[in-house]
Amino acid sequence: MLRRLRKAWGQVEVGALALGTLACPLCGPSLALRLNRSDHGVRCLRCAGSSIHLAMGASLRARVPDLARLDAYELSARGPLVAFLRRATHSLQVSEFLPDVALGSELGGIRCEDMQQLSFADASFDLITHTEVLEHVPDDRRALAELHRVLRAGGILMFSVPMHGGDVTIERACLRDGRIEHLLTPVFHGDPLRDGAGILAFRDYGRDILERVRAAGFEHVEFCAPQIAPAWLALREVIIACKAST
Ligand SMILES: [Zn+2]
């Protein structure tokens, strides 16, 4: 706890500090604390949700009807979004990508899945969510096609990725013959409040990410820009897409 606090203190940006009441879409009445203007600089003080989690929660509440009837799949195994989905949906499957663990099997109760070759049957879920994962997947087009395959007709995909603000996605690395080839200086992403090395980003997404999602077969693909008080939360846009109903 002390180490976490020390790390949090290291994130403080003078002039950005702010505290305000928050109707957290994930956990209810709470307070929001802003340490800095980065995506991880805002936290709900009750559930520890970041601005990305809050954006997902607000978008789910605004755009996904009948959450309580949906079978959901979230591509991470812990955290405030997982806790919310566990309470709010009919059922929740979670997974992580665990190196050296057979796909579809479990380690310590956590199912191992590779987004590029999911072990689930076709049409297994009504809702799939993931946050800050797709940029770390070598073949994102294949991953999006897999998510489309395991969604039921009429199912919803909602996710977040870091966006650089421009139109065109920049490829930073690729896999060639099973080896990583760096096209640009390697960039690693990590949550500054968590321990551990970062994960390589294969690309920086532009707004053309919507085209990649459409190319995987999705319909009604768009950005969703949730707004909740306090205004300084400045939540990230998330991407929402549907699988055709028939
Ligand atoms: Zn919360």
Side-chain angles (χ1 to χ4, degrees):
M1 182 66 184
L2 196 62
R3 215 166 69 173
R4 249 185 111 103
L5 275 175
R6 206 174 289 146
K7 273 196 155 187
W9 182 248
Q11 303 296 313
V12 170
E13 178 188 321
V14 178
L17 265 180
L19 181 70
T21 56
L22 169 71
C24 177
L26 300 173
C27 74
S30 182
L31 292 170
L33 172 66
R34 183 174 69 183
L35 299 175
N36 58 57
R37 290 184 170 82
S38 79
D39 287 324
H40 296 286
V42 166
R43 295 279 163 168
C44 166
L45 287 185
R46 193 161 157 220
C47 71
S50 69
S51 63
I52 296 164
H53 297 130
L54 300 181
M56 289 291 289
S59 301
L60 285 166
R61 285 186 179 280
R63 302 293 297 274
V64 182
D66 295 330
L67 263 179
R69 295 172 59 179
L70 303 187
D71 295 317
Y73 173 33
E74 155 62 30
L75 283 95
S76 68
R78 57 178 72 87
L81 180 60
V82 168
F84 167 74
L85 288 168
R86 222 179 268 294
R87 290 192 306 272
T89 59
H90 176 254
S91 72
L92 179 66
Q93 173 72 58
V94 298
S95 73
E96 297 271 355
F97 177 66
L98 306 166
D100 306 323
V101 177
L103 299 179
S105 66
E106 292 192 356
L107 180 69
I110 297 175
R111 183 171 175 133
C112 173
E113 291 290 343
D114 178 346
M115 204 196 268
Q116 300 161 114
Q117 42 183 327
L118 296 171
S119 69
F120 302 109
D122 295 359
S124 293
F125 306 105
D126 304 301
L127 170 69
I128 298 178
T129 58
H130 53 91
T131 59
E132 317 297 277
V133 176
L134 200 61
E135 73 274 21
H136 303 297
V137 175
D139 189 342
D140 61 341
R141 290 179 171 90
R142 188 171 160 196
L144 289 164
E146 274 292 88
L147 298 177
H148 187 269
R149 178 182 69 77
V150 302
L151 265 179
R152 293 178 184 141
I156 295 173
L157 170 68
M158 185 181 288
F159 67 98
S160 75
V161 288
M163 306 275 297
H164 64 66
D167 289 334
V168 181
T169 295
I170 300 165
E171 304 292 342
R172 307 194 62 89
C174 63
L175 269 193
R176 210 178 293 278
D177 300 327
R179 297 173 70 103
I180 294 172
E181 183 177 321
H182 295 288
L183 310 171
L184 294 169
T185 309
V187 166
F188 299 88
H189 296 166
D191 182 338
L193 295 186
R194 283 190 193 171
D195 291 323
I199 312 167
L200 177 69
F202 277 83
R203 63 198 70 80
D204 296 329
Y205 282 107
R207 300 187 74 78
D208 60 0
I209 187 173
L210 298 187
E211 295 308 319
R212 291 192 189 207
V213 181
R214 286 188 191 108
F218 287 95
E219 296 185 340
H220 309 296
V221 184
E222 59 187 15
F223 293 109
C224 179
Q227 291 187 328
I228 55 175
W232 48 257
L233 278 177
L235 299 184
R236 175 90 74 74
E237 283 181 310
V238 303
I239 293 145
I240 183 167
C242 299
K243 181 168 178 171
S245 301
T246 51

